[in-house]
Amino acid sequence: MPASQPRSRARDRNNVLNRAEFLSLNQPLKGNQESRSSSRKQSGQAGAAGAQNTNPKERRQSQQLPEEDCMQLNPSFKGIAFNSLLAIDICMSKRLGVCANRASSWGGARSMINLLGITGHGIPWIAGTLICLVKSSTLAGQEVLMNLLLALLLDIMIVAGLQKLAKRKGPYDITPGLLDYLTMDTYAFPAGHASRVAMLSKFFLNHLVLAIPLRILLVLWALCVGFSRVMIGRHHITDVLSGFMFGYLQFRLVELIWMSSNTCQMLISIW
Protein backbone atom coordinates (compact mmCIF):
# COMPACT_ATOMS: atom_id res chain seq x y z
CA MET A 1 0.00 0.00 0.00
CA PRO A 2 2.70 2.56 0.83
CA ALA A 3 4.41 1.87 -2.47
CA SER A 4 1.19 2.18 -4.44
CA GLN A 5 0.47 5.74 -3.09
CA PRO A 6 3.66 7.33 -4.55
CA ARG A 7 2.97 5.60 -7.85
CA SER A 8 -0.61 6.98 -8.00
CA ARG A 9 0.65 10.47 -7.15
CA ALA A 10 3.28 10.30 -9.88
CA ARG A 11 0.65 9.03 -12.31
CA ASP A 12 -1.61 12.00 -11.43
CA ARG A 13 1.21 14.45 -11.98
CA ASN A 14 2.03 12.99 -15.36
CA ASN A 15 -1.60 13.02 -16.45
CA VAL A 16 -2.06 15.85 -19.00
CA LEU A 17 -5.65 16.40 -17.91
CA ASN A 18 -4.46 17.62 -14.53
CA ARG A 19 -2.13 20.27 -15.95
CA ALA A 20 -2.86 23.99 -15.54
CA GLU A 21 -3.31 24.50 -19.28
CA PHE A 22 -6.55 22.53 -19.22
CA LEU A 23 -8.06 24.23 -16.17
CA SER A 24 -10.78 26.88 -16.46
CA LEU A 25 -9.64 30.48 -16.55
CA ASN A 26 -12.40 31.36 -14.11
CA GLN A 27 -10.95 28.95 -11.55
CA PRO A 28 -7.19 29.60 -11.35
CA LEU A 29 -4.89 27.51 -9.27
CA LYS A 30 -4.67 28.13 -5.56
CA GLY A 31 -0.98 28.71 -5.83
CA ASN A 32 -1.51 31.51 -8.37
CA GLN A 33 -4.19 33.09 -6.20
CA GLU A 34 -1.96 33.05 -3.19
CA SER A 35 0.96 34.56 -5.13
CA ARG A 36 -1.25 37.30 -6.59
CA SER A 37 -2.82 38.15 -3.25
CA SER A 38 0.60 38.28 -1.61
CA SER A 39 1.92 40.60 -4.36
CA ARG A 40 -1.13 42.86 -3.97
CA LYS A 41 -0.63 43.02 -0.23
CA GLN A 42 3.03 43.89 -0.68
CA SER A 43 2.23 46.62 -3.22
CA GLY A 44 -0.52 47.98 -0.95
CA GLN A 45 1.82 48.04 2.01
CA ALA A 46 4.49 49.80 -0.09
CA GLY A 47 1.94 52.39 -1.28
CA ALA A 48 0.76 53.02 2.27
CA ALA A 49 4.34 53.42 3.45
CA GLY A 50 5.02 55.86 0.58
CA ALA A 51 1.88 57.86 1.43
CA GLN A 52 2.99 58.03 5.06
CA ASN A 53 6.45 59.20 4.04
CA THR A 54 5.04 62.05 1.90
CA ASN A 55 4.74 65.49 3.40
CA PRO A 56 1.23 66.16 4.82
CA LYS A 57 1.35 69.72 3.43
CA GLU A 58 1.83 68.38 -0.11
CA ARG A 59 -1.10 65.98 0.33
CA ARG A 60 -3.27 68.86 1.60
CA GLN A 61 -2.29 71.07 -1.35
CA SER A 62 -3.03 68.30 -3.86
CA GLN A 63 -6.45 67.78 -2.32
CA GLN A 64 -7.27 71.51 -2.23
CA LEU A 65 -6.00 72.31 -5.72
CA PRO A 66 -8.55 74.60 -7.44
CA GLU A 67 -10.00 73.66 -10.78
CA GLU A 68 -8.49 76.63 -12.63
CA ASP A 69 -4.96 75.45 -11.70
CA CYS A 70 -5.56 71.94 -13.05
CA MET A 71 -4.41 71.10 -16.57
CA GLN A 72 -7.24 70.36 -18.95
CA LEU A 73 -6.23 67.40 -21.09
CA ASN A 74 -9.14 67.84 -23.51
CA PRO A 75 -10.24 71.52 -23.62
CA SER A 76 -13.08 72.51 -25.88
CA PHE A 77 -12.60 74.50 -29.06
CA LYS A 78 -14.68 77.38 -27.66
CA GLY A 79 -12.52 77.51 -24.55
CA ILE A 80 -9.31 77.60 -26.59
CA ALA A 81 -10.67 80.31 -28.88
CA PHE A 82 -11.96 82.43 -25.98
CA ASN A 83 -8.70 82.18 -24.03
CA SER A 84 -6.70 83.03 -27.14
CA LEU A 85 -8.80 86.11 -27.92
CA LEU A 86 -8.60 87.19 -24.28
CA ALA A 87 -4.81 86.88 -24.30
CA ILE A 88 -4.57 88.88 -27.54
CA ASP A 89 -6.87 91.56 -26.09
CA ILE A 90 -4.78 91.93 -22.93
CA CYS A 91 -1.48 92.00 -24.87
CA MET A 92 -2.67 94.59 -27.39
CA SER A 93 -4.28 96.75 -24.69
CA LYS A 94 -1.04 96.85 -22.72
CA ARG A 95 0.91 97.75 -25.83
CA LEU A 96 -1.50 100.60 -26.59
CA GLY A 97 -1.37 101.88 -23.00
CA VAL A 98 1.30 104.42 -23.94
CA CYS A 99 0.05 106.97 -21.38
CA ALA A 100 -0.62 104.59 -18.49
CA ASN A 101 1.91 106.37 -16.25
CA ARG A 102 4.57 109.05 -16.36
CA ALA A 103 7.27 106.51 -17.21
CA SER A 104 5.43 105.32 -20.35
CA SER A 105 6.58 106.21 -23.85
CA TRP A 106 3.91 108.95 -24.14
CA GLY A 107 3.82 109.80 -20.46
CA GLY A 108 4.13 113.53 -21.17
CA ALA A 109 0.83 113.53 -23.08
CA ARG A 110 -1.11 111.92 -20.23
CA SER A 111 -2.61 115.25 -19.07
CA MET A 112 -3.89 116.04 -22.57
CA ILE A 113 -5.38 112.54 -22.94
CA ASN A 114 -7.09 112.90 -19.57
CA LEU A 115 -8.50 116.25 -20.67
CA LEU A 116 -9.90 114.58 -23.77
CA GLY A 117 -11.47 111.91 -21.56
CA ILE A 118 -13.21 114.56 -19.43
CA THR A 119 -15.27 115.53 -22.50
CA GLY A 120 -16.87 112.08 -22.29
CA HIS A 121 -17.67 112.11 -18.56
CA GLY A 122 -21.31 111.92 -17.59
CA ILE A 123 -21.29 114.66 -14.89
CA PRO A 124 -20.29 117.56 -17.23
CA TRP A 125 -22.84 116.42 -19.79
CA ILE A 126 -25.66 116.18 -17.23
CA ALA A 127 -24.77 119.60 -15.80
CA GLY A 128 -24.61 121.15 -19.28
CA THR A 129 -27.94 119.59 -20.29
CA LEU A 130 -29.64 120.98 -17.17
CA ILE A 131 -28.26 124.48 -17.82
CA CYS A 132 -29.43 124.41 -21.45
CA LEU A 133 -32.82 123.10 -20.33
CA VAL A 134 -33.28 126.02 -17.95
CA LYS A 135 -32.34 128.54 -20.60
CA SER A 136 -34.34 126.91 -23.42
CA SER A 137 -37.59 128.66 -24.37
CA THR A 138 -38.82 126.51 -27.25
CA LEU A 139 -40.95 123.40 -26.94
CA ALA A 140 -38.85 121.46 -29.45
CA GLY A 141 -35.61 122.33 -27.64
CA GLN A 142 -37.04 121.32 -24.27
CA GLU A 143 -38.28 118.04 -25.69
CA VAL A 144 -34.86 117.15 -27.12
CA LEU A 145 -33.02 118.21 -23.96
CA MET A 146 -35.36 116.25 -21.67
CA ASN A 147 -34.84 113.09 -23.71
CA LEU A 148 -31.11 113.73 -23.76
CA LEU A 149 -31.15 113.98 -19.97
CA LEU A 150 -33.05 110.70 -19.82
CA ALA A 151 -30.47 109.07 -22.12
CA LEU A 152 -27.58 110.25 -19.95
CA LEU A 153 -29.18 108.94 -16.77
CA LEU A 154 -29.96 105.61 -18.40
CA ASP A 155 -26.37 105.35 -19.61
CA ILE A 156 -24.98 105.84 -16.12
CA MET A 157 -27.32 103.28 -14.55
CA ILE A 158 -26.90 100.64 -17.28
CA VAL A 159 -23.10 100.89 -17.41
CA ALA A 160 -22.79 100.88 -13.62
CA GLY A 161 -24.97 97.75 -13.41
CA LEU A 162 -23.00 95.93 -16.12
CA GLN A 163 -19.69 96.83 -14.52
CA LYS A 164 -20.85 95.55 -11.14
CA LEU A 165 -21.83 92.27 -12.77
CA ALA A 166 -18.63 91.82 -14.80
CA LYS A 167 -16.14 93.32 -12.27
CA ARG A 168 -13.37 93.24 -14.85
CA LYS A 169 -10.25 95.22 -14.03
CA GLY A 170 -8.26 97.23 -16.53
CA PRO A 171 -4.92 96.23 -18.05
CA TYR A 172 -3.09 98.53 -15.63
CA ASP A 173 -3.73 99.23 -11.96
CA ILE A 174 -5.08 102.75 -12.50
CA THR A 175 -7.04 104.37 -9.67
CA PRO A 176 -10.37 105.86 -10.90
CA GLY A 177 -10.80 109.61 -10.57
CA LEU A 178 -13.38 111.58 -8.63
CA LEU A 179 -15.72 111.93 -11.60
CA ASP A 180 -15.45 108.18 -12.21
CA TYR A 181 -16.62 107.48 -8.66
CA LEU A 182 -19.51 109.93 -9.05
CA THR A 183 -20.73 108.13 -12.16
CA MET A 184 -19.90 104.68 -10.67
CA ASP A 185 -17.48 104.04 -13.54
CA THR A 186 -14.95 102.07 -11.47
CA TYR A 187 -14.51 98.85 -13.47
CA ALA A 188 -13.32 98.21 -17.01
CA PHE A 189 -16.14 96.36 -18.80
CA PRO A 190 -17.90 98.02 -20.52
CA ALA A 191 -16.17 101.37 -20.98
CA GLY A 192 -18.53 104.08 -19.73
CA HIS A 193 -16.92 106.85 -21.77
CA ALA A 194 -17.22 104.81 -24.96
CA SER A 195 -20.90 104.02 -24.41
CA ARG A 196 -21.66 107.65 -23.57
CA VAL A 197 -19.92 109.22 -26.55
CA ALA A 198 -21.43 106.63 -28.92
CA MET A 199 -24.89 107.38 -27.58
CA LEU A 200 -24.34 111.17 -27.70
CA SER A 201 -22.91 111.20 -31.20
CA LYS A 202 -25.78 109.09 -32.53
CA PHE A 203 -28.29 111.26 -30.66
CA PHE A 204 -26.89 114.50 -32.11
CA LEU A 205 -26.62 113.09 -35.62
CA ASN A 206 -30.31 112.17 -35.54
CA HIS A 207 -31.82 115.16 -33.75
CA LEU A 208 -29.62 118.12 -34.70
CA VAL A 209 -29.15 119.70 -38.10
CA LEU A 210 -25.38 119.65 -38.60
CA ALA A 211 -23.17 120.28 -41.57
CA ILE A 212 -21.13 117.42 -42.98
CA PRO A 213 -17.79 118.63 -41.49
CA LEU A 214 -19.40 118.84 -38.05
CA ARG A 215 -20.86 115.36 -38.43
CA ILE A 216 -17.42 113.98 -39.32
CA LEU A 217 -15.83 115.78 -36.35
CA LEU A 218 -18.51 114.38 -34.06
CA VAL A 219 -17.74 110.81 -35.11
CA LEU A 220 -13.97 111.40 -34.80
CA TRP A 221 -14.49 112.89 -31.33
CA ALA A 222 -16.35 109.77 -30.21
CA LEU A 223 -13.62 107.47 -31.53
CA CYS A 224 -10.83 109.53 -29.95
CA VAL A 225 -12.52 109.65 -26.55
CA GLY A 226 -13.18 105.92 -26.60
CA PHE A 227 -9.63 104.87 -27.47
CA SER A 228 -8.08 107.48 -25.20
CA ARG A 229 -9.25 105.27 -22.34
CA VAL A 230 -7.08 102.47 -23.73
CA MET A 231 -4.10 104.81 -24.00
CA ILE A 232 -4.23 105.77 -20.32
CA GLY A 233 -4.57 102.11 -19.31
CA ARG A 234 -8.10 102.24 -17.88
CA HIS A 235 -9.80 99.89 -20.36
CA HIS A 236 -9.08 97.05 -22.75
CA ILE A 237 -9.82 97.27 -26.46
CA THR A 238 -12.81 94.95 -26.08
CA ASP A 239 -14.13 97.15 -23.26
CA VAL A 240 -14.19 100.15 -25.59
CA LEU A 241 -15.72 98.22 -28.49
CA SER A 242 -18.42 96.80 -26.23
CA GLY A 243 -19.00 100.32 -24.89
CA PHE A 244 -19.66 101.58 -28.41
CA MET A 245 -22.14 98.73 -28.93
CA PHE A 246 -23.97 99.39 -25.66
CA GLY A 247 -24.09 103.10 -26.46
CA TYR A 248 -25.85 102.41 -29.73
CA LEU A 249 -28.31 100.07 -27.97
CA GLN A 250 -29.02 102.77 -25.40
CA PHE A 251 -29.79 105.22 -28.18
CA ARG A 252 -32.24 102.73 -29.68
CA LEU A 253 -33.84 102.30 -26.25
CA VAL A 254 -34.29 106.06 -25.85
CA GLU A 255 -35.86 106.23 -29.31
CA LEU A 256 -38.36 103.56 -28.25
CA ILE A 257 -39.36 105.35 -25.03
CA TRP A 258 -39.11 108.85 -26.48
CA MET A 259 -41.02 111.32 -24.32
CA SER A 260 -43.49 113.57 -26.13
CA SER A 261 -43.60 117.35 -25.80
CA ASN A 262 -46.59 117.21 -23.43
CA THR A 263 -44.82 114.75 -21.14
CA CYS A 264 -41.71 116.92 -21.11
CA GLN A 265 -43.73 120.01 -20.26
CA MET A 266 -45.44 118.18 -17.41
CA LEU A 267 -42.10 117.07 -15.98
CA ILE A 268 -40.64 120.57 -16.33
CA SER A 269 -43.62 122.06 -14.53
CA ILE A 270 -43.22 119.58 -11.65
CA TRP A 271 -39.54 120.38 -11.46
Side-chain angles (χ1 to χ4, degrees):
M1 291 295 294
S4 63
Q5 290 181 355
R7 292 176 183 175
S8 63
R9 291 176 182 174
R11 198 180 303 113
D12 292 337
R13 284 196 299 267
N14 294 329
N15 191 0
V16 294
L17 296 177
N18 292 329
R19 291 180 184 177
E21 290 80 0
F22 291 93
L23 294 178
S24 173
L25 296 176
N26 296 327
Q27 297 177 357
L29 293 176
K30 294 183 178 179
N32 292 337
Q33 287 182 346
E34 292 177 356
S35 62
R36 289 175 184 173
S37 61
S38 62
S39 63
R40 288 176 183 173
K41 289 181 181 178
Q42 291 177 359
S43 62
Q45 292 176 357
Q52 291 177 358
N53 294 330
T54 55
N55 194 352
K57 291 184 178 179
E58 295 179 357
R59 283 185 291 167
R60 230 177 278 120
Q61 290 177 357
S62 63
Q63 293 174 358
Q64 298 176 356
L65 192 65
E67 293 183 0
E68 56 267 18
D69 292 338
C70 298
M71 183 177 65
Q72 296 181 358
L73 297 179
N74 190 18
S76 63
F77 176 76
K78 292 182 179 179
I80 295 173
F82 178 76
N83 292 331
S84 301
L85 292 175
L86 188 63
I88 294 172
D89 178 37
I90 294 173
C91 179
M92 294 299 296
S93 301
K94 287 188 175 182
R95 285 181 177 273
L96 292 175
V98 292
C99 302
N101 49 56
R102 294 293 180 182
S104 301
S105 57
W106 288 17
R110 181 176 173 82
S111 300
M112 185 177 64
I113 299 299
N114 280 328
L115 183 62
L116 179 62
I118 291 176
T119 61
H121 269 289
I123 298 299
W125 277 101
I126 291 175
T129 304
L130 289 173
I131 294 172
C132 294
L133 187 60
V134 170
K135 293 186 176 181
S136 178
S137 58
T138 62
L139 296 178
Q142 292 175 356
E143 179 183 350
V144 172
L145 290 171
M146 281 296 295
N147 285 279
L148 177 60
L149 182 62
L150 174 64
L152 290 170
L153 294 176
L154 282 176
D155 173 74
I156 291 176
M157 291 187 292
I158 291 173
V159 170
L162 291 173
Q163 287 187 357
K164 290 294 183 182
L165 289 175
K167 290 185 178 181
R168 187 187 189 189
K169 296 183 179 180
Y172 293 91
D173 190 11
I174 306 297
T175 304
L178 178 61
L179 293 177
D180 294 328
Y181 281 110
L182 290 176
T183 55
M184 296 174 287
D185 187 11
T186 55
Y187 290 100
F189 180 87
H193 288 67
S195 67
R196 195 168 301 115
V197 296
M199 183 269 297
L200 288 171
S201 60
K202 185 64 176 173
F203 189 93
F204 292 151
L205 289 174
N206 275 44
H207 298 286
L208 293 181
V209 180
L210 300 173
I212 293 179
L214 291 178
R215 298 171 77 89
I216 295 174
L217 288 176
L218 189 61
V219 174
L220 291 177
W221 165 76
L223 293 174
C224 291
V225 171
F227 285 101
S228 69
R229 308 301 289 174
V230 180
M231 295 176 66
I232 64 172
R234 280 280 284 118
H235 296 280
H236 300 87
I237 298 175
T238 52
D239 300 334
V240 173
L241 294 177
S242 62
F244 288 152
M245 181 188 68
F246 281 115
Y248 176 77
L249 294 177
Q250 289 166 10
F251 166 76
R252 300 301 302 175
L253 177 62
V254 172
E255 291 290 306
L256 289 175
I257 60 173
W258 184 268
M259 294 185 295
S260 63
S261 180
N262 295 330
T263 306
C264 294
Q265 292 301 314
M266 183 183 65
L267 292 175
I268 291 173
S269 62
I270 295 173
W271 179 39

